Amino acid sequence: MWSRHLIRFSNNRWMSTSVATNVKNIMGWWDHVLPAPKDPITSVTEAFLSDPSPLKLNLGVGAYRDDEGKPVTLECVRRAAESISGCEFLESTKATTKSKFVQDSVKLAYGNDSNVVREGRFAGVPALSGTGACRLFAQFQRRFYPDSQIFLPTPTWSNHHDIWRDSQVCTSTYHYYDPDTKGLQFQALMNDIKNAPDRSFFLLHPCAHNPTGVDPNYEQWKEISHICKIKNHFPFFDMAYQGIASGDLERDATAIRIFLEDGHLLGCAQSFSKNMGLYGHRVGCVSIVSRDENQATAIKSQLQQIVRAMYSSSPVHGPLLVSAILNDADLKALWEEEVKVMVDRLIRMRITLRQNLEELNSSASWEHITKQVGMFYFSGLSPKEVDQLQRDFHIYMTNDGRIRGDKQQCGLLGKCNP
Ligand code: LMR
């Protein structure tokens, strides 16, 4: 659209001119920014918070809660916090704190007696929990394999798709969960690994698969490792739930240990949010196994450069807490006990939920609830049923029917007769 205006020059002459008032030409800087689609997990919390009902229950986000629905601070963390009090302000210890934390973290994932650790064949940096660890790896992948893609299981933690998308790495999917059997689609998974182009990146959940709670067994992991080796794929493990599947930190690292034994070079994202309850601290680690120490040094310097340009460096308080626990025999034993208590409680809740549903003569089978492991029950409820539970009973869960398994909530859920 054009409109005519008169312009007066300094010599008092006037000129008539057309001025563009075209909408496009006067568009504001951010007029083209539309609201982002809602996050499938955090939006559940937002909806829950805006519900005024006193009966409301949030079974959405994967953050462990006690019987009253309150966050839990582990006793080992309280004691560790006392023991490190003041250290976090010591600027001079920053570098040593971080390298110690990385060493402690990879030992937990790869094993105390791991050759990789002994030979220094890994590069690792602290990360902002599991998301940060995945993101650093995705950026690293993009930097050195710009045309590569990564295969993600169907389904997977929704943020995996977003993390690799924002790192400009394409994603593909591989078969994982079978909605009919509510178990693993093992053969289809193996076929997808076999049929993927050689030297592909594969994201694997080593334990307590999020959201399904369905993990391959020992023999299946051996086969997965074997086929990945033949295909020269690069396995990247997102281990957000070490300890939370079986209650045993070592046992939950079995998949990674199998791959290491088979001589894979691999990547690993670790988070201490769930197993130490350090949600708000954002403590994690990303590590990459390398051919030798020199390669590890090069990889580490690249990871550090990615961190430097993104947020310079990570905070030290969380790493100090983790190292204090992992290096003190008493605190470590207490931690292991507390992890077991959380997991036993989650298992008891599975049993209660299944019993409650069966007592209501539900026509559906709820056997899968007690077969799955970890923090979530992948209920099999449809999005419509999830909506109904939210609307009529103020029970909130993710749209895919994933339920976080806390006692009080599960008891009530059983009474709702979905
Ligand atoms: C989840 O799956 O709910 C957790 O991993 C928390 C999150 O940030 O998504």
Side-chain angles (χ1 to χ4, degrees):
M1 209 198 275
W2 296 83
S3 59
R4 297 204 68 79
H5 286 259
L6 282 176
I7 297 176
R8 188 180 179 182
F9 292 103
S10 51
N11 60 6
N12 252 352
R13 284 181 47 205
W14 291 83
M15 193 182 99
S16 167
T17 185
S18 313
V19 173
T21 51
N22 193 322
V23 175
K24 267 194 203 141
N25 292 338
I26 58 161
M27 198 165 109
W29 277 104
W30 310 115
D31 293 355
H32 59 303
V33 179
L34 302 175
K38 282 193 178 298
D39 181 89
I41 297 174
T42 57
S43 62
V44 176
T45 306
E46 283 162 25
F48 170 81
L49 290 174
S50 62
D51 183 343
S53 168
L55 299 172
K56 64 182 180 177
L57 298 169
N58 187 1
L59 309 182
V61 69
Y64 186 81
R65 296 286 183 264
D66 67 11
D67 284 345
E68 279 139 38
K70 299 220 173 81
V72 173
T73 305
L74 299 186
E75 182 54 28
C76 63
V77 170
R78 282 190 206 284
R79 293 193 199 167
E82 277 166 30
S83 76
I84 62 158
S85 173
C87 297
E88 65 271 33
F89 303 116
L90 299 177
E91 179 65 23
S92 56
T93 58
K94 218 165 133 182
T96 46
T97 298
K98 287 182 188 176
S99 65
K100 175 127 195 51
F101 164 75
V102 168
Q103 186 85 5
D104 295 337
S105 302
V106 295
K107 275 191 190 163
L108 192 68
Y110 301 165
N112 262 329
D113 53 356
S114 145
N115 290 340
V116 166
V117 179
R118 213 177 25 251
E119 293 159 14
R121 282 196 299 113
F122 70 92
V125 291
L128 300 178
S129 206
T131 305
C134 286
R135 183 65 195 259
L136 290 178
F137 182 79
Q139 294 291 152
F140 181 79
Q141 179 184 345
R142 164 80 194 167
R143 187 177 275 207
F144 294 99
Y145 288 94
D147 299 324
S148 68
Q149 56 181 333
I150 188 160
F151 284 82
L152 306 174
T154 302
T156 192
W157 180 45
S158 53
N159 211 17
H160 284 147
H161 288 279
D162 298 348
I163 289 168
W164 268 269
R165 178 206 60 212
D166 278 8
S167 307
Q168 287 158 21
V169 175
C170 291
T171 53
S172 287
T173 54
Y174 64 89
H175 284 89
Y176 190 85
Y177 178 77
D178 184 346
D180 294 332
T181 63
K182 300 198 167 51
L184 188 66
Q185 274 188 320
F186 184 63
Q187 212 38 61
L189 175 155
M190 290 294 283
N191 288 341
D192 288 348
I193 297 179
K194 212 181 303 171
N195 295 331
D198 289 357
R199 291 172 65 79
S200 291
F201 288 87
F202 267 80
L203 184 141
L204 302 161
H205 298 225
C207 57
H209 181 273
N210 181 4
T212 68
V214 173
D215 287 345
N217 62 29
Y218 182 85
E219 285 72 30
Q220 289 170 332
W221 276 123
K222 291 285 292 178
E223 287 188 51
I224 296 170
S225 168
H226 183 66
I227 185 75
C228 283
K229 197 82 212 285
I230 291 173
K231 293 285 297 182
N232 222 339
H233 292 327
F234 189 91
F236 179 71
F237 288 95
D238 181 6
M239 185 148 68
Y241 292 88
Q242 186 176 2
I244 303 295
S246 67
D248 178 337
L249 290 138
E250 290 297 302
R251 194 164 150 202
D252 281 4
T254 302
I256 293 182
R257 311 279 170 89
I258 290 173
F259 274 69
L260 288 176
E261 257 170 45
D262 290 349
H264 285 274
L265 299 189
L266 55 83
C268 180
Q270 288 172 267
S271 162
F272 292 95
S273 295
K274 328 281 171 169
N275 57 16
M276 281 197 190
L278 294 173
Y279 300 95
H281 284 74
R282 314 307 297 149
V283 203
C285 178
V286 64
S287 55
I288 297 174
V289 174
S290 58
R291 198 186 53 224
D292 55 35
E293 232 178 316
N294 285 342
Q295 195 175 69
T297 308
I299 295 173
K300 185 173 172 186
S301 69
Q302 294 287 346
L303 288 171
Q304 284 172 324
Q305 197 188 63
I306 293 169
V307 169
R308 174 76 177 136
M310 239 197 269
Y311 51 90
S312 191
S313 67
S314 50
V316 288
H317 189 248
L320 274 169
L321 282 174
V322 171
S323 286
I325 293 169
L326 296 181
N327 289 288
D328 179 304
D330 291 341
L331 284 184
K332 184 152 186 235
L334 177 60
W335 177 46
E336 286 165 345
E337 245 173 67
E338 293 190 283
V339 168
K340 182 95 178 57
V341 168
M342 286 193 279
V343 173
D344 286 348
R345 181 166 165 268
L346 287 167
I347 293 171
R348 276 201 311 281
M349 296 320 116
R350 287 183 182 282
I351 297 168
T352 313
L353 174 60
R354 184 175 161 188
Q355 274 169 358
N356 284 350
L357 291 166
E358 285 172 353
E359 274 167 22
L360 291 162
N361 294 325
S362 165
S363 55
S365 161
W366 298 100
E367 199 190 351
H368 57 284
I369 299 285
T370 47
K371 277 194 178 160
Q372 297 163 356
V373 294
M375 193 175 270
F376 306 114
Y377 317 154
F378 204 51
S379 65
L381 293 174
S382 66
K384 215 170 133 211
E385 288 164 327
V386 170
D387 272 356
Q388 196 186 341
L389 277 170
Q390 184 170 319
R391 205 181 44 244
D392 300 344
F393 298 95
H394 307 277
I395 294 175
Y396 291 77
M397 63 185 71
T398 51
N399 191 257
D400 55 5
R402 190 192 78 170
I403 302 171
R404 196 191 64 244
D406 298 330
K407 179 181 177 183
Q408 188 196 8
Q409 287 115 331
C410 284
L412 286 167
L413 184 63
K415 288 186 195 138
C416 291
N417 195 8

Short mmCIF file of all heavy atoms in Angstrom, two decimals, residues 39 41-42 60-63 131 157-159 210-211 240-241 274 279 282 375-376 398 402 404, ligand 1:
data_model
loop_
_atom_site.label_atom_id
_atom_site.label_comp_id
_atom_site.label_asym_id
_atom_site.label_seq_id
_atom_site.Cartn_x
_atom_site.Cartn_y
_atom_site.Cartn_z
N ASP A 39 5.91 -28.22 24.96
CA ASP A 39 6.73 -29.38 25.25
C ASP A 39 5.83 -30.46 25.86
O ASP A 39 5.05 -30.17 26.77
CB ASP A 39 7.84 -28.99 26.24
CG ASP A 39 8.73 -30.17 26.55
OD1 ASP A 39 9.72 -30.36 25.82
OD2 ASP A 39 8.44 -30.92 27.51
N ILE A 41 6.28 -32.74 27.91
CA ILE A 41 6.47 -33.09 29.33
C ILE A 41 6.27 -31.87 30.23
O ILE A 41 5.45 -31.89 31.15
CB ILE A 41 7.86 -33.74 29.55
CG1 ILE A 41 7.92 -35.06 28.76
CG2 ILE A 41 8.12 -33.98 31.05
CD1 ILE A 41 9.25 -35.75 28.76
N THR A 42 6.98 -30.78 29.93
CA THR A 42 6.86 -29.62 30.83
C THR A 42 5.47 -28.99 30.76
O THR A 42 5.01 -28.37 31.72
CB THR A 42 7.94 -28.56 30.53
OG1 THR A 42 7.83 -28.17 29.16
CG2 THR A 42 9.34 -29.09 30.78
N GLY A 60 3.28 -36.46 35.73
CA GLY A 60 3.93 -36.16 34.45
C GLY A 60 5.44 -36.22 34.52
O GLY A 60 6.04 -37.27 34.27
N VAL A 61 6.04 -35.11 34.87
CA VAL A 61 7.50 -34.99 34.76
C VAL A 61 8.22 -36.04 35.62
O VAL A 61 7.77 -36.39 36.71
CB VAL A 61 7.95 -33.56 35.13
CG1 VAL A 61 7.78 -33.25 36.59
CG2 VAL A 61 9.37 -33.30 34.67
N GLY A 62 9.33 -36.54 35.10
CA GLY A 62 10.07 -37.61 35.77
C GLY A 62 10.96 -37.10 36.88
O GLY A 62 12.17 -37.09 36.77
N ALA A 63 10.34 -36.69 37.96
CA ALA A 63 11.11 -36.26 39.14
C ALA A 63 10.49 -36.96 40.35
O ALA A 63 9.31 -36.76 40.63
CB ALA A 63 11.04 -34.75 39.29
N THR A 131 20.26 -33.58 29.65
CA THR A 131 19.97 -32.78 28.45
C THR A 131 21.24 -32.12 27.94
O THR A 131 21.55 -32.17 26.75
CB THR A 131 18.92 -31.69 28.76
OG1 THR A 131 17.77 -32.32 29.32
CG2 THR A 131 18.55 -30.90 27.53
N TRP A 157 12.49 -40.46 24.74
CA TRP A 157 12.28 -39.22 25.49
C TRP A 157 12.10 -38.10 24.46
O TRP A 157 12.93 -37.95 23.55
CB TRP A 157 13.50 -38.97 26.37
CG TRP A 157 13.45 -37.74 27.21
CD1 TRP A 157 12.40 -37.29 27.96
CD2 TRP A 157 14.53 -36.82 27.41
NE1 TRP A 157 12.76 -36.14 28.61
CE2 TRP A 157 14.05 -35.82 28.29
CE3 TRP A 157 15.84 -36.73 26.94
CZ2 TRP A 157 14.85 -34.76 28.71
CZ3 TRP A 157 16.63 -35.68 27.36
CH2 TRP A 157 16.13 -34.70 28.23
N SER A 158 10.99 -37.36 24.57
CA SER A 158 10.66 -36.39 23.51
C SER A 158 11.78 -35.39 23.26
O SER A 158 11.99 -34.94 22.12
CB SER A 158 9.37 -35.66 23.88
OG SER A 158 9.47 -35.10 25.17
N ASN A 159 12.51 -35.06 24.28
CA ASN A 159 13.56 -34.05 24.12
C ASN A 159 14.70 -34.51 23.22
O ASN A 159 15.43 -33.68 22.67
CB ASN A 159 14.10 -33.64 25.51
CG ASN A 159 14.56 -32.20 25.55
OD1 ASN A 159 14.22 -31.40 24.68
ND2 ASN A 159 15.35 -31.85 26.55
N ASN A 210 13.09 -44.65 28.79
CA ASN A 210 12.11 -43.57 28.96
C ASN A 210 11.47 -43.30 27.60
O ASN A 210 12.18 -42.93 26.67
CB ASN A 210 12.85 -42.32 29.46
CG ASN A 210 11.92 -41.14 29.70
OD1 ASN A 210 10.71 -41.24 29.57
ND2 ASN A 210 12.51 -40.00 30.04
N PRO A 211 10.18 -43.49 27.39
CA PRO A 211 9.14 -43.60 28.41
C PRO A 211 8.62 -45.01 28.70
O PRO A 211 7.76 -45.15 29.55
CB PRO A 211 8.00 -42.81 27.76
CG PRO A 211 8.13 -43.14 26.30
CD PRO A 211 9.62 -43.26 26.05
N ALA A 240 20.26 -41.76 31.88
CA ALA A 240 19.69 -40.80 32.84
C ALA A 240 19.23 -41.50 34.10
O ALA A 240 18.92 -40.84 35.09
CB ALA A 240 18.52 -40.07 32.18
N TYR A 241 19.16 -42.84 34.07
CA TYR A 241 18.51 -43.56 35.17
C TYR A 241 19.37 -44.68 35.75
O TYR A 241 18.85 -45.72 36.14
CB TYR A 241 17.17 -44.13 34.67
CG TYR A 241 16.16 -43.06 34.37
CD1 TYR A 241 16.10 -42.46 33.11
CD2 TYR A 241 15.28 -42.61 35.35
CE1 TYR A 241 15.19 -41.46 32.83
CE2 TYR A 241 14.36 -41.61 35.07
CZ TYR A 241 14.32 -41.04 33.82
OH TYR A 241 13.42 -40.04 33.55
N LYS A 274 18.18 -38.03 38.69
CA LYS A 274 17.26 -39.03 39.24
C LYS A 274 17.92 -39.83 40.35
O LYS A 274 17.36 -39.99 41.42
CB LYS A 274 16.79 -40.00 38.16
CG LYS A 274 16.67 -39.41 36.79
CD LYS A 274 15.41 -38.61 36.61
CE LYS A 274 15.48 -37.88 35.28
NZ LYS A 274 14.26 -37.28 34.87
N TYR A 279 18.02 -32.75 40.91
CA TYR A 279 17.33 -32.20 39.74
C TYR A 279 17.71 -30.74 39.46
O TYR A 279 18.09 -30.39 38.37
CB TYR A 279 15.81 -32.30 39.93
CG TYR A 279 15.34 -33.73 40.11
CD1 TYR A 279 15.15 -34.27 41.37
CD2 TYR A 279 15.10 -34.52 39.00
CE1 TYR A 279 14.74 -35.58 41.52
CE2 TYR A 279 14.69 -35.84 39.14
CZ TYR A 279 14.50 -36.36 40.41
OH TYR A 279 14.10 -37.65 40.55
N ARG A 282 21.40 -29.62 38.09
CA ARG A 282 21.82 -29.89 36.70
C ARG A 282 23.24 -30.46 36.66
O ARG A 282 24.17 -29.82 36.17
CB ARG A 282 21.75 -28.60 35.84
CG ARG A 282 20.50 -27.77 35.97
CD ARG A 282 19.24 -28.53 35.77
NE ARG A 282 19.10 -29.11 34.46
CZ ARG A 282 18.43 -30.25 34.22
NH1 ARG A 282 17.86 -30.91 35.19
NH2 ARG A 282 18.34 -30.73 33.01
N MET A 375 11.25 -45.52 36.50
CA MET A 375 10.42 -44.51 37.16
C MET A 375 9.02 -44.42 36.56
O MET A 375 8.11 -43.88 37.17
CB MET A 375 11.13 -43.15 37.03
CG MET A 375 10.55 -42.09 37.93
SD MET A 375 11.51 -40.59 37.84
CE MET A 375 12.70 -40.86 39.13
N PHE A 376 8.86 -44.96 35.35
CA PHE A 376 7.59 -44.76 34.64
C PHE A 376 6.85 -46.06 34.37
O PHE A 376 7.47 -47.09 34.16
CB PHE A 376 7.84 -44.06 33.30
CG PHE A 376 8.62 -42.78 33.44
CD1 PHE A 376 9.90 -42.68 32.92
CD2 PHE A 376 8.08 -41.69 34.11
CE1 PHE A 376 10.63 -41.51 33.05
CE2 PHE A 376 8.80 -40.51 34.24
CZ PHE A 376 10.08 -40.42 33.71
N THR A 398 1.71 -37.63 30.86
CA THR A 398 2.01 -37.24 29.48
C THR A 398 1.02 -37.92 28.54
O THR A 398 0.46 -38.97 28.86
CB THR A 398 3.48 -37.58 29.10
OG1 THR A 398 3.74 -38.94 29.41
CG2 THR A 398 4.46 -36.70 29.83
N ARG A 402 2.24 -42.18 29.75
CA ARG A 402 3.33 -42.45 30.69
C ARG A 402 2.97 -41.92 32.08
O ARG A 402 2.59 -40.76 32.23
CB ARG A 402 4.62 -41.79 30.19
CG ARG A 402 5.84 -42.20 30.96
CD ARG A 402 7.02 -41.30 30.63
NE ARG A 402 6.94 -40.02 31.31
CZ ARG A 402 7.93 -39.12 31.36
NH1 ARG A 402 9.07 -39.38 30.73
NH2 ARG A 402 7.79 -37.98 32.00
N ARG A 404 4.26 -41.41 36.07
CA ARG A 404 5.36 -41.50 37.04
C ARG A 404 4.83 -42.21 38.27
O ARG A 404 3.75 -41.90 38.76
CB ARG A 404 5.88 -40.11 37.41
CG ARG A 404 7.24 -40.18 38.09
CD ARG A 404 7.66 -38.87 38.70
NE ARG A 404 6.78 -38.49 39.77
CZ ARG A 404 6.01 -37.41 39.77
NH1 ARG A 404 6.01 -36.60 38.75
NH2 ARG A 404 5.24 -37.15 40.81
C1 LMR B 1 11.14 -36.80 32.01
O1 LMR B 1 11.24 -37.58 31.06
O2 LMR B 1 10.06 -36.45 32.50
C2 LMR B 1 12.39 -36.29 32.65
O3 LMR B 1 13.50 -36.72 31.95
C3 LMR B 1 12.36 -34.83 32.91
C4 LMR B 1 12.44 -33.99 31.69
O4 LMR B 1 13.11 -32.95 31.76
O5 LMR B 1 11.86 -34.31 30.65
#
